[in-house]
């Protein structure tokens, strides 16, 4: 933190000590479990997904340890299948999808809109209960024998062959899915109807725009997955159905329905991340966001395109050549709005007064890793290339660059950015920067070797592999252990900051967003008086006197 | 906030002011006024219905795909369903949509007794729908139309699409799984729809009780409007379900059999 941007620490007045915040307004377990306050529900989500993140992390650590040697000495093949399935399912459905929207979105969105709460606070709480029900069923499935279908749950494997806990897993996914739907519903309605006076659409922060776009994907894509998965459950129970070839069904139908959700789900993960980065970069470059309108509209464009590219996951699954060609062309379209965002972030940095605090390091890491992930996506959108690369480690590396390098980096960045707002405390500056660097380096070390071996033909999901790939696997596992350190470190210093961190004050970063104009941690009603908005969201070029009248 | 109408008799004015106080009492803390609260609830229901469209849409697309793929089996199976009962239920649901919209109308006017009656009528029509559905399900049970429980493969080998005189083609053993698939979709779709009707009946009955107790006024009747939207949606789903499940074969039949 440079001295220039840090407002002088004001002595804490006695009034500040006794101020009513959302944290001290009520105490006890009941006050949390029955809360309708969006900020508390955000915290509940934060705790839940952190637990799920580390469970998913443990699963993949076992997989990576096993891949140290080509002959799979560490675990049995069956256990291996269960471990990578647990990793995929938990990380996608129980960490990444709810990560930014349900924690940071829940916490920040109403404040960014100048609202007292979300439109439907009780539905918001219901959505958390649905989510932990899903988490519970998922954890139960893993502990009670595991599930081995892969996170893609393809039929007929999931409907016929697998004898493990597929039903409980699927019901868990449906529960988590409905939790997402209700969150999305709340966000869409809140954005439409709860904006503070003067807060026009073109004054909304990009985070709101991208959460709004994400919510639409929740609303329109999740029900399709939920119904497809319910059909699989019924099919497993009554042995009649629409997916299993033995019953006259077509497994491709499941793949279509699955990817109709799961491709947009990629944008569910990355769009909020883009929103977070669009908040952080202008703040730490002290500049207005370059091309605000284009960044905002490209979020909507990405959400729209996300619904018309799903079959690029199925190029080798037996769809017709012509539909594959069309989906290939459409997939390239996604590159356009994504590139618009990257260029605008870069242009925002140009001639900015950049400082390198932890949130900024995470955001810059996001831009680099997302660009690599996005460009390798173009390889995979190319029909001919995809036939070579399909189901190899190249794919694994590509989507981890988007989902971990992109979404998780942005989530960490957002968490560090809004941590002072959420808790009212600053974390350790040096440690947080170090952890951002460790995660960045560890990430590159983990997944770059996978690009190389995938391009050379190493297939994914195999318990054993040809010995010539061992060097890449060892490098990847080494990188994963560095990454692991990077993820455990924040757990330490963030918890430490709760008690020993410096008091943050309302606006430690000198940011312009509405959420920074209320004390940290915010009062239960968010704002002492409903704010009147007279400016756009990133007026960093204005003098300080103009910002704080 | 609705402005006070300029021409009111003293009694009407008193009622209006009471309504206004009552309406203010219904304002939840996150909203700044009743108008915002009402609009928010309506947008919320519309958005929820959009989700529901996709939820049902998954089943509709599956039905459409397989109907195209296994036309003979689907047509044959569809002809075993009783389109008469389906048709009666269509009329019942359409009528219930009328009574519901009249209910919303009376709520807007602040006429309490007609509102209660319309809500009761809507709920009763919903129950009527469920009764006919029950009769139909019982018939399906008697006629062995429940795959996995009461289903006889050999029966289907004598049946064929359309009237047998006209086409002469009967189903083969390979078609039987597809017949099961049609019936599976029939049970899933009508079952899911009936579940929605059931929820609707319960909620509307609850509204009727609350309306009877005077919970709603012309200032505040948002729940009635919101539930009305839901009820029309449930009706609309049936409007699509009925032809897609019951009327598949009728255009190919040489005569409509009663």
């Amino acid at each position: 933190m440079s001295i220039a941007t840090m407002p002088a620490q004001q002595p804490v007045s006695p009034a500040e000590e006794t101020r009513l915040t959302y944290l001290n307004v009520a105490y006890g377990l009941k006050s949390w479990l029955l809360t309708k306050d969006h900020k508390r529900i955000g915290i509940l989500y934060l705790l839940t997904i952190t637990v799920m993140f580390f469970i998913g992390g443990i699963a993949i650590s076992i997989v990576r340890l096993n891949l140290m040697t080509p002959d799979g000495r560490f675990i049995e093949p069956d256990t291996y299948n269960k471990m990578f399935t647990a990793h995929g399912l938990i990380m996608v459905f129980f960490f990444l999808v709810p990560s930014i929207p349900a924690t940071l979105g829940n916490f920040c969105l109403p404040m960014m809109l100048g609202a007292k709460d979300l439109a439907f606070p009780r539905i918001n709480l219901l959505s958390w209960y649905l989510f932990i029900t899903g988490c519970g069923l998922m954890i139960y499935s893993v502990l009670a024998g595991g599930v081995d279908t892969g996170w893609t749950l393809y039929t007929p494997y999931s409907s016929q062959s697998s004898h493990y806990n597929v039903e409980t897993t699927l019901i868990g996914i449906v529960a988590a899915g409905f939790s997402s739907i209700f969150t999305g519903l709340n966000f869409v309605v809140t954005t439409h109807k709860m904006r503070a006076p003067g807060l026009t659409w073109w004054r909304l922060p990009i985070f709101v725009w991208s959460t709004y776009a994400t919510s639409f994907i929740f609303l329109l894509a999740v029900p399709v997955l939920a119904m497809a998965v319910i059909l699989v459950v019924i099919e497993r129970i009554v042995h009649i159905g629409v997916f299993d070839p033995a019953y006259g069904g077509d497994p491709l139908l499941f793949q279509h329905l699955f990817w109709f959700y799961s491709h947009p789900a990629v944008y569910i993960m990355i769009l909020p991340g883009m929103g977070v980065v669009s908040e952080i970069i202008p703040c730490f470059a002290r500049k207005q966001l370059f091309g605000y309108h284009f960044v905002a509209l490209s979020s909507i464009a990405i959400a729209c395109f996300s619904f018309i590219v799903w079959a690029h996951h199925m190029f080798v699954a037996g769809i017709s050549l012509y539909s594959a060609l069309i989906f290939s062309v459409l997939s390239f379209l996604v590159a356009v709005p994504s590139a618009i965002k990257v260029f605008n972030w870069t242009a925002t940095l140009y001639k900015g007064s950049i400082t390198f605090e932890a949130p900024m390091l995470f955001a810059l890491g996001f831009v680099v890793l997302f660009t690599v992930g996005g460009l390798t996506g173009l390889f995979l959108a190319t029909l001919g290339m995809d036939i070579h690369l399909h189901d190899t480690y190249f794919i694994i590396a590509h989507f981890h660059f988007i989902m971990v390098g992109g979404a998780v980096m942005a989530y960490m960045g957002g968490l560090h950015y809004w941590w002072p707002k959420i808790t009212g405390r600053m974390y350790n500056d040096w440690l947080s920067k170090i952890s951002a660097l460790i995660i960045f380096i560890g990430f590159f070390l983990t997944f770059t070797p996978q690009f190389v071996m995938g391009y050379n033909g190493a297939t994914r999901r195999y318990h054993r592999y040809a010995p010539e790939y061992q060097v890449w696997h060892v490098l990847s596992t080494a990188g994963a252990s560095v990454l692991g350190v990077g993820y455990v470190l924040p757990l330490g210093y963030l918890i430490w900051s709760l008690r020993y961190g410096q008091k943050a004050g309302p606006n430690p970063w000198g940011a312009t967003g509405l959420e920074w104009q209320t004390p940290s941690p915010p009062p239960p009603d968010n704002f002492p008086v409903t704010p009147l908005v007279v400016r756009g969201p990133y007026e960093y070029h204005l003098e300080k006197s103009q910002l704080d009248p | 906030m609705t402005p006070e109408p300029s021409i009111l008799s003293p009694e009407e004015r008193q009622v209006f002011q009471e309504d206004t106080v009552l309406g203010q009492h219904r304002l939840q803390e996150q909203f700044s006024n009743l108008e915002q609260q009402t609009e928010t609830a309506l947008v919320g229901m519309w958005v929820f219905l959009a989700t529901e469209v996709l939820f049902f849409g998954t089943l509709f697309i599956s039905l459409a795909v397989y109907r195209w793929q296994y036309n003979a089996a689907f047509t044959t199976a569809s002809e075993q369903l009783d389109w008469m009962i389906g048709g009666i239920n269509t009329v019942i649901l359409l009528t219930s949509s009328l009574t519901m919209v009249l209910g919303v109308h009376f709520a807007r006017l602040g006429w309490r007794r007609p509102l209660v009656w319309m809500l009761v009528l809507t709920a009763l029509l919903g129950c009527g729908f469920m009764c006919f559905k029950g009769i139909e399900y019982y018939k399906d049970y008697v006629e062995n139309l429940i795959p996995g429980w009461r289903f006889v493969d050999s029966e289907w080998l004598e049946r064929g699409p359309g009237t047998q005189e006209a086409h002469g083609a009967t189903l083969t053993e390979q078609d039987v799984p597809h017949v099961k698939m049609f019936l599976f979709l029939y049970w899933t779709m009508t079952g899911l729809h009936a579940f929605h009707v059931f929820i609707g009946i319960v909620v509307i009955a609850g509204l009727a009780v609350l309306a009877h107790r005077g919970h709603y006024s012309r200032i505040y009747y948002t729940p009635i409007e919101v539930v009305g939207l839901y009820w029309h949606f449930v009706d609309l789903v049936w409007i699509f379900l009925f032809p897609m499940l019951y009327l598949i074969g009728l255009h190919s039949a040489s005569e409509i059999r009663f």
Side-chain angles (χ1 to χ4, degrees):
Chain A
M1 159 87 36
S2 72
I3 303 299
T5 58
M6 180 79 171
Q9 282 290 320
Q10 275 139 17
V12 180
S13 63
E16 173 64 19
E17 286 292 339
T18 55
R19 192 174 56 83
L20 198 62
T21 72
Y22 78 99
L23 291 168
N24 67 15
V25 67
Y27 293 98
L29 197 60
K30 203 177 148 195
S31 77
W32 282 87
L33 292 181
L34 297 178
T35 183
K36 286 191 279 171
D37 186 337
H38 66 100
K39 301 182 283 301
R40 285 192 166 205
I41 295 171
I43 303 281
L44 292 176
Y45 267 111
L46 177 65
L47 297 174
T48 323
I49 65 167
T50 306
V51 171
M52 294 311 277
F53 178 76
F54 282 101
I55 295 175
I58 291 167
I60 201 60
S61 311
I62 296 169
V63 168
R64 283 253 55 102
L65 279 176
N66 183 68
L67 290 171
M68 290 280 278
T69 56
D71 46 2
R73 284 177 211 171
F74 187 54
I75 46 175
E76 294 299 307
D78 220 22
T79 319
Y80 178 84
N81 292 346
K82 289 175 189 170
M83 283 301 132
F84 77 68
T85 303
H87 169 71
L89 287 170
I90 290 175
M91 287 304 199
V92 170
F93 293 110
F94 299 96
F95 173 70
L96 280 168
V97 167
S99 62
I100 297 176
T103 56
L104 301 173
N106 243 327
F107 196 93
C108 296
L109 189 86
M111 283 198 277
M112 286 178 160
L113 297 172
K116 286 186 201 146
D117 205 322
L118 286 170
F120 309 114
R122 265 180 293 193
I123 292 181
N124 197 23
L125 183 64
L126 170 71
S127 107
W128 180 71
Y129 276 102
L130 282 170
F131 182 67
I132 53 163
T133 311
C135 290
L137 283 165
M138 184 69 227
I139 293 172
Y140 164 81
S141 311
V142 170
L143 293 181
V147 56
D148 61 347
T149 56
W151 85 277
T152 45
L153 307 165
Y154 274 7
T155 52
Y157 192 70
S158 59
S159 62
Q160 198 180 34
S161 316
S162 176
H163 297 296
Y164 296 106
N165 302 306
V166 181
E167 290 89 345
T168 44
T169 309
L170 294 184
I171 294 168
I173 290 171
V174 173
F178 274 94
S179 136
S180 305
I181 289 174
F182 290 137
T183 303
L185 187 144
N186 240 326
F187 285 2
V188 166
V189 177
T190 307
T191 311
H192 270 282
K193 287 289 161 198
M194 310 280 283
R195 303 194 305 275
L199 189 55
T200 60
W201 282 88
W202 293 124
R203 284 178 184 165
L204 290 177
I206 296 295
F207 183 76
V208 175
W209 275 99
S210 26
T211 326
Y212 180 76
T214 310
S215 304
F216 260 99
I217 304 181
F218 277 145
L219 290 167
L220 299 181
V222 178
V224 176
L225 176 85
M227 185 42 83
V229 158
I230 289 171
L231 286 176
V232 174
V233 174
I234 303 177
E235 191 163 318
R236 281 182 72 87
I237 294 169
V238 303
H239 300 290
I240 304 156
V242 291
F243 298 132
D244 196 328
Y247 313 134
D250 189 345
L252 266 185
L253 180 66
F254 179 80
Q255 294 188 22
H256 277 297
L257 296 176
F258 178 81
W259 289 115
F260 184 82
Y261 163 76
S262 292
H263 190 76
V266 176
Y267 302 105
I268 289 177
M269 300 168 208
I270 201 68
L271 270 172
M274 293 167 157
V276 168
V277 168
S278 307
E279 297 300 307
I280 295 175
I281 287 182
C283 178
F284 294 92
R286 312 307 302 166
K287 268 186 73 190
Q288 201 167 15
L289 182 69
F290 190 87
Y292 166 84
H293 292 83
F294 280 89
V295 179
L297 288 180
S298 63
S299 303
I300 306 294
I302 288 176
C304 294
F305 287 151
S306 75
F307 283 102
I308 50 172
V309 299
W310 77 88
H312 66 215
H313 296 268
M314 301 162 59
F315 283 161
V316 298
I319 59 172
S320 87
L321 180 61
Y322 297 104
S323 69
L325 271 174
I326 289 166
F327 276 109
S328 170
V329 172
L330 289 174
S331 303
F332 281 106
L333 284 182
V334 181
V336 177
S338 310
I340 287 175
K341 284 180 182 276
V342 172
F343 290 137
N344 280 309
W345 293 324
T346 319
T348 307
L349 290 170
Y350 180 67
K351 289 198 173 169
S353 314
I354 303 172
T355 51
F356 295 97
E357 288 84 359
M360 186 60 160
L361 290 179
F362 280 112
L364 293 175
F366 171 96
V367 175
V368 173
L369 298 177
F370 171 73
T371 307
V372 175
L375 290 176
T376 51
L378 293 178
F379 289 49
L380 298 167
T382 317
L383 194 47
M385 196 73 175
D386 184 66
I387 289 168
H388 172 63
L389 294 174
H390 191 85
D391 267 351
T392 64
Y393 270 93
F394 192 92
I395 299 259
I396 306 278
H398 156 70
F399 75 71
H400 278 85
F401 264 80
I402 300 286
M403 293 180 186
V404 185
V408 181
M409 279 300 250
Y411 171 67
M412 296 296 285
L415 197 59
H416 283 77
Y417 181 58
W418 281 297
W419 189 258
K421 179 53 64 185
I422 295 171
T423 63
R425 303 276 185 166
M426 297 302 293
Y427 43 82
N428 186 302
D429 188 36
W430 186 81
L431 273 177
S432 59
K433 287 177 183 172
I434 290 292
S435 118
L437 281 177
I438 291 177
I439 291 176
F440 185 76
I441 294 166
F443 181 83
F444 249 107
L445 195 54
T446 313
F447 291 102
T448 317
Q450 299 190 4
F451 274 131
V452 181
M453 67 174 152
Y455 188 80
N456 287 327
T459 42
R460 70 192 281 198
R461 289 181 168 169
Y462 276 79
H463 173 242
R464 298 175 184 202
Y465 55 88
E468 61 260 37
Y469 300 124
Q470 187 174 13
V471 59
W472 304 112
H473 271 301
V474 170
L475 271 176
S476 186
T477 305
S481 39
V482 176
L483 200 54
V485 172
Y487 286 137
V488 173
L489 208 52
L491 197 65
Y493 64 74
L494 287 180
I495 291 174
W496 181 87
S497 78
L498 291 177
R499 197 171 169 86
Y500 304 105
Q502 212 179 8
K503 284 259 188 314
N507 192 358
W509 312 120
T512 55
L514 269 185
E515 76 273 25
W516 299 103
Q517 294 183 9
T518 186
S520 321
D525 278 349
N526 292 346
F527 296 95
V529 284
T530 305
L532 176 70
V533 184
V534 291
R535 278 191 307 267
Y538 306 111
E539 309 272 292
Y540 289 100
H541 56 288
L542 297 178
E543 293 294 321
K544 195 172 178 340
S545 58
Q546 286 171 275
L547 286 172
D548 297 319
Chain B
M1 182 93 303
T2 322
E4 190 172 313
S6 47
I7 310 161
L8 285 181
S9 68
E11 297 83 40
E12 280 176 329
R13 170 155 302 171
Q14 199 195 343
V15 170
F16 186 85
Q17 281 164 354
E18 279 171 14
D19 285 354
T20 310
V21 172
L22 202 64
Q24 288 306 323
H25 191 62
R26 304 263 176 257
L27 184 64
Q28 288 163 358
E29 60 187 23
Q30 70 269 30
F31 300 107
S32 46
N33 55 47
L34 264 182
E35 197 184 346
Q36 185 193 23
Q37 180 175 330
T38 304
E39 284 180 13
T40 306
L42 286 174
V43 173
M45 183 44 88
W46 276 109
V47 171
F48 175 69
L49 294 183
T51 298
E52 288 268 54
V53 168
L54 270 290
F55 197 57
F56 276 100
T58 311
L59 291 167
F60 277 113
I61 195 89
S62 307
L63 181 68
V65 166
Y66 290 123
R67 181 196 159 176
W68 173 74
Q69 220 165 345
Y70 308 127
N71 193 20
F74 270 46
T75 310
T76 313
S78 162
E79 282 165 4
Q80 306 306 313
L81 303 180
D82 195 332
W83 68 265
M84 201 68 175
I85 295 182
I88 292 170
N89 265 342
T90 310
V91 175
I92 291 179
L93 268 193
L94 279 173
T95 316
S96 77
S97 255
L98 175 70
T99 54
M100 187 71 222
V101 84
L102 284 174
V104 175
H105 179 68
F106 292 135
R108 198 171 288 160
L109 293 176
W111 296 1
R112 191 196 294 179
R113 282 177 66 87
L115 164 64
V116 174
W117 272 114
M118 283 304 144
L119 290 175
V120 168
L121 213 53
T122 310
L124 284 178
L125 285 166
C127 292
F129 175 91
M130 293 297 264
C131 288
F132 276 106
K133 199 84 231 155
I135 295 170
E136 188 186 357
Y137 281 167
Y138 177 71
K139 270 188 75 183
D140 296 339
Y141 169 81
V142 174
E143 292 172 12
N144 297 335
L145 292 179
I146 310 180
W149 186 20
R150 279 177 69 93
F151 189 87
V152 184
D153 284 17
S154 57
E155 280 179 6
W156 292 90
L157 300 178
E158 299 149 16
R159 293 170 182 159
T163 52
Q164 287 180 27
E165 299 81 358
H167 297 272
T170 53
L171 297 184
T172 63
E173 269 175 33
Q174 284 166 339
D175 292 321
V176 174
H178 308 148
V179 169
K180 284 187 185 172
M181 190 193 278
F182 173 84
L183 292 172
F184 170 79
L185 285 168
Y186 160 76
W187 283 99
T188 316
M189 295 173 91
T190 55
L192 186 67
H193 178 260
F195 177 69
H196 279 78
V197 175
F198 173 72
I199 299 278
I201 293 171
V202 172
V203 173
I204 290 170
L207 287 185
V209 172
L210 289 177
H212 179 67
R213 289 188 194 157
H215 266 244
Y216 306 113
S217 62
R218 68 184 119 171
I219 303 293
Y220 177 77
Y221 56 92
T222 313
I224 298 180
E225 221 172 347
V226 168
V227 173
L229 283 177
Y230 171 83
W231 190 254
H232 297 317
F233 170 80
V234 173
D235 183 16
L236 198 60
V237 170
W238 180 257
I239 298 297
F240 281 90
L241 270 183
F242 175 60
M244 283 191 79
L245 288 174
Y246 292 79
L247 305 182
I248 293 180
L250 283 187
H251 68 279
S252 66
S254 53
E255 54 180 317
I256 296 177
R257 290 168 299 158
F258 284 92

